[in-house]
Amino acid sequence: MTPIELRASLGLAGLYALRMLGMFLILPVFAVYAGKLPGGDNHTMVGLAFGAYGLTQALLQLPFGMWSDRVGRKKVIYIGLALFAVGSVMCAMADHVAWLIVGRAVQGAGAISAAITALLADLTREENRTKAMAMIGGSIASTFAISLVAAPTLAAWIGLPGIFLLTAGLTIAAMIGVKQIIPNPTISRFHSDAEISATRLPAVLRNPQLLRMNYGVFALHAAQMAMFTVMPLLLTQLGGLELTHHWWVYLPVVLVGFVLMVPAVIYGEKKQHLKEVFIFAISLMLLAQLGMALYMPNLTMIVVWLSVYFIAFNILEATQPSLISKIAPSDAKGTAMGVYNTCQSLSMFLGSAIAGWLYQQHGSVTAIFLLCAALMVIWLFFAAGMQPPLPVKTQMFHIGDNWEGSAQALSVKLAAIDGVKEAVVLIDERVALLKVLQTGWDEAAARQLIEETAGLTTPSAP
């Protein structure tokens, strides 16, 4: 990476992490603190407040991404961050759960994830795009783990309103960082690998393999939000732990989940058993949900089932984007990820809202976890019919900015190279997208062909 690419990648990864911090920091504490507000005795309202963020995020995420193509990436990011800051202040000032719902909805309206990804694509060369995206993925995972451990103590110091005000302050600092740290792209164009295309959307929505992935992320995050709607209450009431000590539970279970996730993912990728690992993790998640529903008499069993949950969750969270990349057509990867992310956001709203309603109706968590178990059973059925993914990866090559040859002819020639499973040349984006075997493909032949046929030029630093 060039210094500018590294600066852009790290800066945008930090911005994305901050964006997720507003959601993650409240996960372990929201149910307890929101319950103390007027109206907080209505668990349906608390569930709606918890998940309202996801509803507006789901509705506006794709439109904001498309809007950034027309008016500019940074302008959309500034508007989104401003909405997020305003929503955070509204949540901090809320004197009733109803106003907390409104504030959370405004927070989610700052749906800039797609715009950030598009800006990252503008600022990185094709050969470094995967590394840059990995930085964002790593920042999200780190933020999630840190938030689960830090939030209970932070909430004890400054309360839930203080966390929202802290988030607002950090968001304003992020706006300054976008201005001072993130470079302005020399050229801003559409990127099929990072953005959603309306023309490719119908094909993505009809793809049965991608539909399986979309249901999977919906089930996974609906169950996550349902669990965190009631888990803080369980740790306090059933486990006998003060909220400030909840990190005693979260820290070890998150660490166990991360440590055991790594070998499972490596085995799936390197040994080409990704489907088997995937199905195993769904089965493990089903076991965790059934355990929470049917046998959770004390703190010890809460820790046991949470450990099983986080092992499964971390494996699934790591493998699903990889599967999307392998399954999606090369020129529709961004569209597939956009739909996937929208399903994730929508599930956050529905998972917490339904969990809150069930807890209000029944006064226990059994129905909630049984519903989550049912989601896993359906997911297990869909995953069993999934085609084992090919051991492929995506490679991108820049083609000459002034080349005007036949994209179709070049695509056919590239597809004929050993180890290339799919090839498409996109003239408007000046890029050749190849889906190739992870080992044993003839990269030298591809580079030579592009240089000879398409006039490959070495891209200048963005």
Side-chain angles (χ1 to χ4, degrees):
M1 282 189 169
T2 66
I4 290 180
E5 285 179 314
L6 186 60
R7 173 180 157 192
S9 300
L10 291 174
L12 289 172
L15 176 60
Y16 208 111
L18 176 63
R19 186 69 172 65
M20 303 307 292
L21 192 67
M23 181 184 74
F24 292 155
L25 265 182
I26 68 165
L27 278 179
V29 299
F30 188 89
V32 173
Y33 279 89
K36 298 176 181 178
L37 284 174
D41 56 338
N42 187 326
H43 295 287
T44 302
M45 295 280 284
V46 173
L48 286 171
F50 195 27
Y53 177 103
L55 178 61
T56 47
Q57 177 99 342
L59 293 174
L60 296 175
Q61 185 169 232
L62 298 185
F64 265 45
M66 295 178 180
W67 190 29
S68 75
D69 289 331
R70 297 195 297 271
V71 304
R73 317 293 192 202
K74 283 194 171 183
K75 184 177 292 186
V76 170
I77 290 173
Y78 287 136
I79 292 171
L81 288 174
L83 284 170
F84 188 69
V86 169
S88 298
V89 173
M90 291 176 66
C91 289
M93 298 175 64
D95 57 2
H96 193 280
V97 170
W99 282 111
L100 200 56
I101 294 174
V102 176
R104 290 283 288 162
V106 174
Q107 272 191 318
I112 58 172
S113 301
I116 292 175
T117 304
L119 180 57
L120 185 68
D122 284 339
L123 293 170
T124 54
R125 291 169 295 171
E126 291 79 6
E127 59 266 35
N128 290 327
R129 191 82 42 77
T130 301
K131 297 177 186 176
M133 296 295 184
M135 290 182 186
I136 286 183
S139 70
I140 295 172
S142 300
T143 301
F144 178 69
I146 292 170
S147 296
L148 288 184
V149 175
T153 301
L154 191 61
W157 290 346
I158 60 178
L160 190 61
I163 290 179
F164 282 123
L165 286 176
L166 174 63
T167 302
L170 291 174
T171 304
I172 293 171
M175 296 175 72
I176 298 172
V178 171
K179 174 69 174 177
Q180 300 295 332
I181 298 174
I182 309 300
N184 293 312
T186 304
I187 298 175
S188 184
R189 58 162 62 106
F190 179 83
H191 305 275
S192 293
D193 63 305
E195 298 180 69
I196 189 167
S197 166
T199 59
R200 297 181 178 98
L201 192 56
V204 166
L205 293 176
R206 289 194 301 265
N207 188 310
Q209 301 302 313
L210 291 176
L211 288 176
R212 285 179 168 88
M213 293 294 102
N214 294 336
Y215 175 80
V217 75
F218 179 92
L220 181 65
H221 285 272
Q224 180 197 43
M225 292 298 286
M227 184 186 76
F228 278 111
T229 301
V230 295
M231 186 54 67
L233 302 176
L234 290 175
L235 288 173
T236 301
Q237 297 169 6
L238 182 61
L241 279 181
E242 295 182 7
L243 189 62
T244 53
H245 296 153
H246 284 194
W247 70 270
W248 292 356
V249 172
Y250 291 129
L251 179 59
V253 298
V254 168
L255 288 177
V256 167
F258 177 78
V259 169
L260 295 182
M261 172 269 291
V262 174
V265 173
I266 292 175
Y267 173 76
E269 291 281 0
K270 298 297 184 183
K271 301 296 183 180
Q272 299 178 25
H273 290 300
L274 202 53
K275 179 180 177 179
E276 290 83 353
V277 170
F278 191 59
I279 290 177
F280 167 76
I282 299 172
S283 302
L284 207 59
M285 180 62 75
L286 172 59
L287 175 63
Q289 299 298 336
L290 287 174
M292 292 180 190
L294 303 177
Y295 187 69
M296 198 161 51
N298 51 43
L299 181 60
T300 299
M301 292 312 300
I302 291 177
V303 173
V304 169
W305 296 127
L306 277 177
S307 298
V308 175
Y309 170 88
F310 275 106
I311 294 169
F313 180 85
N314 287 344
I315 294 173
L316 293 166
E317 192 78 343
T319 53
Q320 285 192 106
S322 175
L323 286 167
I324 290 281
S325 180
K326 296 177 191 300
I327 293 170
S330 298
D331 60 347
K333 179 182 174 183
T335 304
M337 286 303 302
V339 174
Y340 174 90
N341 290 333
T342 298
C343 291
Q344 176 180 331
S345 297
L346 183 61
S347 72
M348 290 160 49
F349 167 69
L350 291 176
S352 56
I354 293 174
W357 180 78
L358 286 173
Y359 194 66
Q360 180 70 22
Q361 297 298 312
H362 300 282
S364 73
V365 300
T366 301
I368 295 171
F369 290 120
L370 284 177
L371 175 61
C372 293
L375 292 175
M376 299 308 141
V377 170
I378 297 170
W379 190 8
L380 199 57
F381 173 78
F382 285 153
M386 180 178 70
Q387 296 175 3
L390 292 173
V392 294
K393 60 183 178 181
T394 301
Q395 293 287 107
M396 292 179 285
F397 296 92
H398 182 71
I399 62 174
D401 289 330
N402 299 318
W403 183 71
E404 297 180 354
S406 170
Q408 178 63 28
L410 181 54
S411 298
V412 171
K413 291 179 180 179
L414 288 169
I417 294 173
D418 288 343
V420 177
K421 295 300 180 181
E422 182 183 336
V424 58
V425 176
L426 303 173
I427 293 297
D428 291 343
E429 301 175 40
R430 320 309 300 179
V431 67
L433 298 172
L434 278 64
K435 195 168 285 187
V436 304
L437 294 176
Q438 291 179 343
T439 58
W441 82 283
D442 195 345
E443 182 175 356
R447 290 188 179 278
Q448 182 178 355
L449 178 61
I450 293 173
E451 289 173 358
E452 293 175 352
T453 309
L456 178 67
T457 59
T458 302
S460 57

